[in-house]
Amino acid sequence: MDTPVGGPTGAAARAHSNIALIKYWGKRDEALNVPAVGSISITLDALSTDTRVTFVPGLRHDEFWLNDQRTQSKRVLGVLNLVRERAGLSFRARVTSTNNFPTGAGLASSASGFAALAVAASAAAGLTPSTRELSILARRGSGSAARSIYGGYVEMHTGTRPDGMDAFAEPVLDTDPWPLSVVVAITSHTAKTVSSTLGMAGSRATSPFYPAWVDTAKNDLADMRAAIATLDFPRLGELAEYSCLKLHALMLTSRPPLIYWNAGTVAAMHTVHELRQQGIAVYFTIDAGPQVKALCAPADAALVARALAETPGVQETRTSALGPGAYLMGAQE
Ligand code: DP6
């Protein structure tokens, strides 16, 4: 019997989701998935994806199982093809992937998913890429996934090269020097209606604010880098809220408009502002979905979670510390 590449059980990897403090929205190259603006994120410990990849001789088609359901994904095939090309491999792969949080509802499942896929597929094919190469590979699946290769505070660069080889993420600061908590207020468990990819293409083509979004990104990134370098939490939080609201202004002025918020989202934003008026340093950020992510010091997380849980429209909360980068769980596990 043929032995599959990477051993009979292939390779498995775990990657954690991330949320952007300075947001990515818009591409400078759609085919290579190169972002038009840089971004800065934090990796989250509580939200992760486990992915196993096995290259199986004789398998006729690539198989992708997401949360135990057979799924079609052109992007997964795209990443597998890049890995095969690099490894000089023709075998099809069996990919099984599990998220420990709701998929496709603005909790960045594509970030953790493609980071885990890049690590697992490369190892299963016998490749030993650098973390930078893994970040570039993960980016081909999803822009935000390039950041989930690293833990803690991470910056993604747009680069300038036409081939996108300088569009990768890099670590900015490790978790230890500056622990932070993120309380996720889940206001809907339904998968989002417009994917980030389609949404950002629409914003680029139709929002009159898009050029301003791209023009002001460099300043926001520089400010956030400075906030992180000085461990200045109010500055980090204020900037994160600003970048989030600027992104949503761009979404709202796209045609058709992208309205990712529901009533619970807005109520949770107000809860965060009320807590701030009471003297608690807490700030929100929201992505392409209805969930509100509140940033605060670990000592305030329980209080913030309680206030958000009591907010009308909030179904549940989940608190996360900052998490590690993507890692291999062992090829023969
Ligand atoms: C709002 O990384 O999901 O979460 O590259 O098309 O897969 P693609 O987009 P994706 O977009 C993330 C958008 C965001 C902001 C962010 O994470 O920076």
Side-chain angles (χ1 to χ4, degrees):
M1 206 175 94
D2 284 337
T3 307
V5 173
T9 56
R14 174 168 297 168
H16 292 82
S17 178
N18 71 73
I19 50 165
L21 302 174
I22 299 296
K23 304 291 188 192
Y24 147 52
W25 197 254
K27 302 178 200 280
R28 74 172 168 88
D29 186 314
E30 291 198 356
L32 295 172
N33 205 31
V34 185
V37 292
S39 53
I40 294 181
S41 63
I42 44 180
T43 305
L44 300 182
D45 194 43
L47 309 177
S48 63
T49 302
D50 286 357
T51 297
R52 181 176 294 282
V53 177
T54 314
F55 287 99
V56 186
L59 195 68
R60 294 192 44 189
H61 303 284
D62 289 314
E63 283 177 19
F64 175 45
W65 298 81
L66 178 60
N67 299 326
D68 291 328
Q69 286 206 321
R70 180 84 185 262
T71 310
Q72 303 293 335
S73 167
K74 277 197 184 140
R75 292 177 183 221
V76 168
L77 299 192
V79 170
L80 290 173
N81 284 338
L82 287 169
V83 169
R84 271 191 286 261
E85 201 178 290
R86 260 159 235 181
L89 202 67
S90 60
F91 300 143
R92 302 290 111 186
R94 183 168 295 125
V95 179
T96 53
S97 196
T98 314
N99 294 329
N100 74 343
F101 58 93
T103 302
L107 288 176
S109 55
S110 68
S112 50
F114 282 104
L117 178 67
V119 174
S122 300
L127 297 171
T128 51
S130 65
T131 50
R132 178 168 297 184
E133 287 166 332
L134 285 169
S135 180
I136 293 170
L137 177 62
R139 190 204 77 224
R140 295 292 293 270
S142 187
S144 51
R147 302 185 307 236
S148 271
I149 294 297
Y150 300 101
Y153 301 76
V154 180
E155 176 164 1
M156 173 75 192
H157 306 286
T158 62
T160 52
R161 284 173 53 159
D163 65 3
M165 292 309 280
D166 54 356
F168 48 76
E170 273 182 323
V172 175
L173 182 71
D174 203 6
T175 307
D176 296 343
W178 203 16
L180 215 64
S181 284
V182 177
V183 180
V184 183
I186 297 177
T187 64
S188 168
H189 285 88
T190 318
K192 67 186 166 203
T193 46
V194 182
S195 71
S196 299
T197 309
L198 284 178
M200 60 179 82
S203 297
R204 183 180 172 197
T206 65
S207 173
F209 296 171
Y210 187 78
W213 168 255
V214 175
D215 285 351
T216 55
K218 279 204 173 76
N219 261 342
D220 296 348
L221 290 162
D223 282 355
M224 185 56 81
R225 255 179 249 128
I228 294 171
T230 53
L231 313 190
D232 184 339
F233 185 60
R235 190 172 177 191
L236 175 145
E238 197 272 325
L239 272 166
E241 259 192 34
Y242 170 63
S243 177
C244 157
L245 290 172
K246 195 165 23 164
L247 167 65
H248 284 270
L250 186 63
M251 291 164 162
L252 292 169
T253 51
S254 303
R255 290 173 133 176
L258 299 161
I259 307 173
Y260 288 109
W261 300 348
N262 60 30
T265 315
V266 177
M269 289 157 75
H270 285 294
T271 297
V272 167
H273 279 191
E274 279 153 24
L275 287 169
R276 247 197 353 260
Q277 274 163 10
Q278 292 162 25
I280 294 144
V282 53
Y283 301 84
F284 66 74
T285 187
I286 306 161
D287 292 297
Q291 329 302 5
V292 175
K293 293 110 180 189
L295 312 162
C296 62
D300 293 329
L303 186 153
V304 169
R306 239 184 348 264
L308 284 170
E310 285 166 6
T311 300
V314 174
Q315 299 179 359
E316 62 172 297
T317 66
R318 227 169 158 157
T319 300
S320 181
L322 300 191
Y327 57 90
L328 214 48
M329 294 165 81
Q332 303 299 323
E333 240 177 55

